[in-house]
Amino acid sequence: MSALVLFSGGQDSTTCLAWALERFDRVETVGLREFVRAAPLALGVPPQRLQREAEAVWRGRSPGAKSETRRGP
């Protein structure tokens, strides 16, 4: 069996990659930037919308969420 991991290089996707490597014979990764470029064609989504949502995720917000000011401790 094989697995495909959407890989950003962060802690969560690195953990998923390690998990997949332990359980699958073949593991491939797709970087987020490559996914954002290719996905609109596959999903039928306007590229600008997918880009905005991906950037929101990278910043730690839910897609479509309004900007919020975070205060330190």
Side-chain angles (χ1 to χ4, degrees):
M1 287 180 59
S2 61
L4 178 65
V5 176
L6 183 59
F7 187 72
S8 68
Q11 185 175 1
D12 292 339
S13 65
T14 301
T15 300
C16 290
L17 178 59
W19 181 89
L21 287 168
E22 290 177 355
R23 289 165 178 80
F24 294 91
D25 298 324
R26 180 175 178 215
V27 177
E28 293 190 36
T29 60
V30 175
L32 283 176
R33 296 202 187 273
E34 291 84 6
F35 176 76
V36 168
R37 282 189 213 114
L41 296 173
L43 301 174
V45 176
Q48 297 82 2
R49 177 178 167 205
L50 191 58
Q51 181 68 35
R52 283 192 309 270
E53 291 183 10
E55 288 173 358
V57 170
W58 291 331
R59 290 187 193 111
R61 295 194 313 257
S62 297
K66 295 187 180 199
S67 296
E68 60 183 68
T69 303
R70 295 185 184 201
R71 297 181 185 198

